[in-house]
Amino acid sequence: MSTIFSGFDIRGRLGESMTTEDAWTLGKAFSDWLPEDGRVVVVASPTANATILKAVTEGLRLQGRGVIDGGQGDAQTVIQISVGSKTAGGILVGHDDLQDLETIELYEANAVLITSENGLSEISSLVEAGNFVPAVVKGELLSAL
């Protein structure tokens, strides 16, 4: 999966360079990378693939992370919910229609986009290592509304 990490996000063609298992593993890695406490908001762009969205959410929850379903939106939606709910981080799941690629953007607690300069490389390493210990209790799924 490391080949789908770019400098600013994670992207790949569904069924080829990105699978639902990759998205599930990414959710687990992001959960482990974040500070221990706090929920994560997950927002889907209108063109997001529902299977990728569900897999990322499940990965987070299996690591014990509470998830706020932010519904449909964009980066501003992630930022507004993250700041308003004081989350540990955020994820925007989308689709690049021009390149026909699934896209995943990750955000820190202060709603700053995570890039290769501030954590994306470390998250990629966690994905590659795959050493995840599931939480004793699955994280809850909450609605932002």
Side-chain angles (χ1 to χ4, degrees), residues 41-43 73-83 87 89-93 105 107 111:
V41 61
V42 178
V43 174
D74 56 15
Q76 286 300 328
T77 308
V78 174
I79 292 166
Q80 288 173 342
I81 295 171
S82 290
V83 171
T87 64
I91 298 177
L92 176 62
V93 178
E105 293 178 354
Y107 293 83

Side-chain angles (χ1 to χ4, degrees), residues 8 10 12 17 41 61 65 69-70 85 87 91 95 98 140:
F8 300 97
I10 299 98
S17 55
V41 61
R61 294 183 66 211
R65 191 65 68 165
D69 178 354
S85 299
T87 64
I91 298 177
H95 182 82
L98 292 176
E140 60 189 347

Side-chain angles (χ1 to χ4, degrees), residues 61-65 135-139:
R61 294 183 66 211
L62 286 172
Q63 294 306 104
R65 191 65 68 165
V136 174
V137 177
K138 187 175 179 178

Side-chain angles (χ1 to χ4, degrees), residues 31-59:
S31 178
D32 285 2
W33 180 84
L34 287 169
E36 288 187 29
D37 294 329
R39 295 183 178 107
V40 176
V41 61
V42 178
V43 174
S45 76
T47 57
N49 179 288
T51 303
I52 296 296
L53 177 67
K54 182 177 179 180
V56 168
T57 301
E58 275 302 297

Side-chain angles (χ1 to χ4, degrees), residues 64-138:
R65 191 65 68 165
V67 175
I68 298 172
D69 178 354
Q72 279 193 355
D74 56 15
Q76 286 300 328
T77 308
V78 174
I79 292 166
Q80 288 173 342
I81 295 171
S82 290
V83 171
S85 299
K86 297 182 180 159
T87 64
I91 298 177
L92 176 62
V93 178
H95 182 82
D96 180 336
D97 290 328
L98 292 176
Q99 297 181 41
D100 191 29
L101 298 173
E102 308 310 315
T103 61
I104 302 172
E105 293 178 354
L106 306 176
Y107 293 83
E108 293 183 82
N110 53 4
V112 170
L113 180 66
I114 298 171
T115 68
S116 58
E117 294 181 8
N118 65 347
L120 202 54
S121 299
E122 290 88 357
I123 296 167
S124 175
S125 294
L126 289 171
V127 167
E128 289 298 317
N131 298 325
F132 305 109
V133 177
V136 174
V137 177
K138 187 175 179 178

